[in-house]
Amino acid sequence: TVTFVGIDQDDYLRKVALVTLVAAVPVGSWWLTGKWWKLPLLLALPLMLYRLWTTRGDAEKMAQASASCDPRHVATSPAQRSELRAFVCSACGYTLFPALGREAAFFTEAFRCPACEAPKEDFLDVRSSA
């Protein structure tokens, strides 16, 4: 593989191709059928039925099959679950549940409450031990 400034080019090209394909499906559907949703529906319906078949309709199994998150940020043990944080905006009550170890990514200097624009200082850690 070719790398450029620490980025794997094959992976980058694969992602660009995927985004292009995802964007091309509704555009192609509009061009072929006059409706943007017909081809995506034809593609999504069999995938949805397959997922229902493989999980036998069990909601927990479907959630596991649908999970597309980085396992490094998932709490799997009771000790990790006890470390999870919840931050509540004292102005409006908006609650933020950042992934394990990702609190600093959310609370940057420019962070504001998405609901009421309150500054980050207005957020309280409701699961802190103190």
Side-chain angles (χ1 to χ4, degrees), residues 86-129:
F87 296 92
V88 177
C89 177
S90 61
C92 70
Y94 179 84
T95 306
L96 181 65
F97 299 96
L100 187 63
R102 302 275 299 151
E103 295 89 354
F106 286 97
F107 293 110
T108 62
E109 290 299 318
F111 179 81
R112 311 235 359 118
C113 177
C116 71
E117 297 293 319
K120 70 177 183 177
E121 291 79 20
D122 287 358
F123 275 80
L124 305 171
D125 185 358
V126 295
R127 292 188 181 173
S128 66
S129 58

Side-chain angles (χ1 to χ4, degrees), residues 5-51:
V5 191
I7 299 173
D8 182 7
Q9 291 297 303
D10 292 337
D11 189 46
Y12 178 76
L13 293 175
R14 193 176 304 118
K15 289 177 182 177
V16 168
L18 180 64
V19 169
T20 303
L21 177 67
V22 167
V25 168
V27 171
S29 181
W30 181 268
W31 182 66
L32 291 171
T33 66
K35 303 283 185 199
W36 69 267
W37 52 267
K38 284 189 177 182
L39 286 179
L41 181 65
L42 288 174
L43 295 172
L45 215 62
L47 293 173
M48 180 184 65
L49 292 173
Y50 173 75
R51 181 166 288 161

